[in-house]
């Protein structure tokens, strides 16, 4: 789908049992094919390490890992960071925490050297937009989450 200077390509995954090798191979091929046709490409990988581990994304400029404050989420981004350091060519890597109710939960989190560039708090407006599939690009620029995301992306050198 193309609209207002954006192109969106969604590649699903098989809904049946079995290996995901074919879809991962196809995804890698599509990324390589269209990669040079756009100024920016955002690749939103499934939660977890599979796309990094299977080298679906082999070369990116900015690798941004997203997690909530759960122990499992934090361990996953640390694992992805470690594997990506060996398997992915990148210019910058950092993380951002989202759906955070209380920032003090992050005070003693050990990220093994991974830089945290921002925190996006929990937000009822985001929940409302999500519940009715409303375009997040229509959110008010003064929304705290929009501002937090903007500041993190600016700090990361994306915008």
């Amino acid at each position: 789908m193309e609209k207002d200077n954006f192109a969106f390509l969604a590649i699903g995954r098989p809904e049946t049992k079995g290996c995901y090798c074919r879809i991962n191979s196809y995804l890698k091929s599509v990324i390589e094919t269209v990669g040079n046709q756009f100024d920016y490409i955002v690749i939103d990988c499934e939660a977890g390490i599979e796309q990094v581990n299977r080298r679906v994304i082999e070369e990116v400029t900015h690798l941004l890992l997203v997690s909530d404050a759960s122990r499992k989420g934090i361990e996953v981004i640390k694992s992805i960071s470690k594997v990506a350091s060996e398997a992915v060519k990148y210019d910058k890597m950092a993380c951002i925490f989202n759906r955070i109710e209380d920032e003090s939960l992050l005070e003693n989190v050990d990220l093994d050297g991974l830089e945290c560039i921002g925190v996006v708090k929990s937000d009822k407006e985001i929940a409302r937009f999500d519940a009715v599939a409303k375009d997040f690009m229509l959110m008010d620029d003064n929304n705290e989450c929009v501002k937090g995301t903007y500041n993190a992306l600016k700090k990361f050198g994306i915008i």
Side-chain angles (χ1 to χ4, degrees), residues 13-78:
R13 58 185 172 126
E15 297 300 326
T16 60
K17 296 178 188 174
C19 179
Y20 294 103
C21 293
R22 179 183 283 165
I23 195 69
N24 283 331
S25 177
Y26 179 65
L27 179 57
K28 180 178 178 177
S29 176
V30 168
I31 292 168
E32 290 171 354
T33 301
V34 302
N36 294 325
Q37 298 175 23
F38 295 93
D39 293 331
Y40 301 98
I41 295 178
V42 176
I43 303 168
D44 182 7
C45 297
E46 261 183 85
I49 196 167
E50 182 162 351
Q51 269 75 35
V52 173
N53 208 20
R54 295 195 180 273
R55 297 180 186 217
V56 173
I57 54 169
E58 283 189 303
E59 187 173 353
V60 296
T61 56
H62 294 74
L63 183 57
L64 181 59
L65 308 178
V66 182
S67 181
D68 59 14
S70 70
R71 173 60 32 210
K72 181 177 179 182
I74 292 165
E75 291 303 318
V76 168
I77 64 169
K78 286 167 56 174

